Amino acid sequence: MADESIFSKIIRKEIPAEIVYQDDLVTAFRDIHPLAPTHILIVPNKEIATVNDTTEADEAALGRMFTVAAKIARQEGVAESGYRLIVNCGKHGGQEVMHIHMHLLGGKALGPMLSRK
Ligand code: AMP
């Protein structure tokens, strides 16, 4: 598949990534350009381009992304100090990879969600 996302290749272990969790619905791996001490991407194994492309059939995988986020936050030792979950969508959302992914960021105080400048 020529237009397959790079994340699908990571899920199938065809290209390297530091996978920290994988099950039948989702895969989580470290972001290649971390923006915080903990920066992990949680993705559905099924390639769904953006939040706009989700359907009710995807709810199990989308819900699993949250429970896996909580599990990984505990594994990474950031559950108590807190962390941020981000899902970018489309051009104005700053989405670069067209395969839904949840960023889990933590390990330092992240500041305000958006700059007011
Ligand atoms: P977004 O801007 O929300 O689409 O975020 C895409 C994220 O994917 C960025 O934080 C990238 O650093 C990350 N990324 C891109 N390619 C890879 C890769 N091969 N392995 C791990 N993370 C990646």
Side-chain angles (χ1 to χ4, degrees), residues 18-95:
E18 192 181 339
I19 293 176
V20 298
Y21 179 91
Q22 187 164 51
D23 65 22
D24 57 323
L25 291 177
V26 306
T27 299
F29 50 92
R30 292 194 193 279
D31 196 291
I32 202 164
H33 298 304
L35 295 170
T38 293
H39 188 172
I40 288 165
L41 301 175
I42 304 161
V43 308
N45 293 342
K46 173 186 168 189
E47 187 166 320
I48 306 165
T50 80
V51 171
N52 290 336
D53 301 300
T54 57
T55 70
E56 287 180 10
D58 301 318
E59 286 174 355
L62 298 170
R64 182 73 61 84
M65 289 165 70
F66 275 91
T67 53
V68 166
K71 194 187 298 257
I72 292 170
R74 286 192 291 274
Q75 273 176 22
E76 293 284 315
V78 301
E80 295 307 316
S81 52
Y83 52 94
R84 185 170 293 158
L85 302 175
I86 299 173
V87 180
N88 294 321
C89 180
K91 189 175 170 190
H92 283 190
Q95 184 179 3

